Amino acid sequence: MNGDHAIGRGRVRRLAARLLSLLVFVAVWWLIAAAKLVDPQFLPAPNTVWDAFVRADSWHRIAPGVPREVRGEQNYFLWEHLVASLQRIGAGAGAAVLLGPPVGFLLGTSRRLAAVVEPYLNFLRALPPLGYIGLLIVWFGIGDTSKIWLLFLAAFPPLVIATIAGVHGVSADRVNAARSLGANRRQVVTRVLLPATLPEVVGGVRVAVGFAWTTVVAAELNNGIPGIGGLAYLAGQRLDTALTLACIIVIGLTALALDAAITGIGALVTPWKGKA
């Protein structure tokens, strides 16, 4: 019980420290903006960013005195832009999560096949998304297909490589011990290799989804509306810094939420991780 209380107090302290750091950050930001140490065009005040966020999520007039109202930004609410981007992530990164571990496991158990395929994976992983988005647009057009392919290609290589590393990290003694106890190949794979590799796969999913999410702006540079990345890019082009910052904050908070969700799921599917 004392241990549980200590863990609870530790979590409360960490949460309090994070909230305090956030308050300090916002206060310093507000002071810099209020003192006009930086041109508001480059660093709007927190309340200005909040106003841009509210404006993007509500019906509002185009300008004071104009009776006509418009819907959010680019005729979509901000949350609709976010949902559109999450749907693209779900399709692109989701396909990578489904295909990456089996491919990585196959390569991890076949060194000859890995020797042939791994250089291509590392080459693809090293390419910046902006380096081949133009080629994908030529192949698949400016619709969602090219965006989904870009997100898939961003997520697939790191996930496969993480799975390969997980397979290679399994001790040969554990495999030999299972075989000495009479385990056949299928049992070795399902009872030894898969459980031992699963934590690495979860870590690879975190990296892959995070990298795909950071690619969302590049994916939505062309015909990216609705889309939170496309809106951030468009707002930057219009020099609407407040809306750009609002989009960046939403993108960052969503990334934290996705990572926390994957971490939580990983803790559920690998309860043995960290135990002796």
Side-chain angles (χ1 to χ4, degrees):
M1 291 296 292
N2 290 335
D4 292 338
H5 285 307
I7 293 174
R9 286 195 298 269
R11 289 176 178 172
V12 170
R13 290 194 191 100
R14 287 193 295 271
L15 179 59
R18 290 170 182 171
L19 289 175
L20 180 61
S21 67
L22 177 61
L23 291 174
V24 170
F25 173 79
V26 173
V28 171
W29 176 10
W30 181 83
L31 287 172
I32 292 174
K36 296 185 178 180
L37 298 177
V38 180
D39 190 327
Q41 180 64 56
F42 300 107
L43 185 65
N47 61 299
T48 305
V49 176
W50 174 254
D51 290 341
F53 173 81
V54 173
R55 179 182 175 88
D57 255 319
S58 61
W59 288 88
H60 57 271
R61 292 181 180 181
I62 302 175
V66 178
R68 183 190 168 199
E69 289 189 340
V70 295
R71 188 171 189 265
E73 292 290 340
Q74 302 299 309
N75 206 34
Y76 293 94
F77 293 131
L78 188 63
W79 67 266
E80 292 175 312
H81 287 285
L82 178 61
V83 168
S85 295
L86 287 173
Q87 288 174 337
R88 290 168 183 144
I89 286 287
V97 170
L98 290 176
L99 297 176
V103 172
F105 199 82
L106 177 62
L107 296 179
T109 53
S110 174
R111 294 188 180 273
R112 290 183 179 179
L113 186 59
V116 175
V117 177
E118 269 196 82
Y120 297 97
L121 286 172
N122 287 317
F123 175 80
L124 185 60
R125 183 181 61 164
L127 287 177
L130 287 175
Y132 52 87
I133 180 61
L135 182 61
L136 293 176
I137 290 174
V138 171
W139 286 351
F140 303 110
I142 61 173
D144 274 1
T145 303
S146 60
K147 298 174 180 59
I148 290 170
W149 267 106
L150 179 67
L151 296 172
F152 171 80
L153 293 174
F156 185 72
L159 185 49
V160 174
I161 291 170
T163 306
I164 294 173
V167 174
H168 289 173
V170 178
S171 171
D173 291 339
R174 297 176 65 179
V175 175
N176 293 332
R179 286 174 176 167
S180 67
L181 292 173
N184 57 33
R185 179 177 176 80
R186 179 182 61 81
Q187 290 172 325
V188 168
V189 170
T190 58
R191 302 290 181 85
V192 179
L193 290 180
L194 281 177
T197 305
L198 196 53
E200 291 291 337
V201 173
V202 173
V205 171
R206 288 183 65 189
V207 173
V209 173
F211 189 49
W213 187 243
T214 62
T215 310
V216 72
V217 175
E220 294 175 350
L221 285 178
N222 295 281
N223 195 32
I225 300 297
I228 192 70
L231 181 62
Y233 175 70
L234 185 62
Q237 283 191 317
R238 297 186 317 197
L239 300 180
D240 190 347
T241 312
L243 180 58
T244 303
L245 285 174
C247 291
I248 290 172
I249 291 171
V250 170
I251 291 171
L253 292 176
T254 304
L256 292 177
L258 287 173
D259 188 69
I262 295 170
T263 302
I265 294 171
L268 290 176
V269 299
T270 59
W272 61 87
K273 184 179 179 183
K275 294 182 179 180

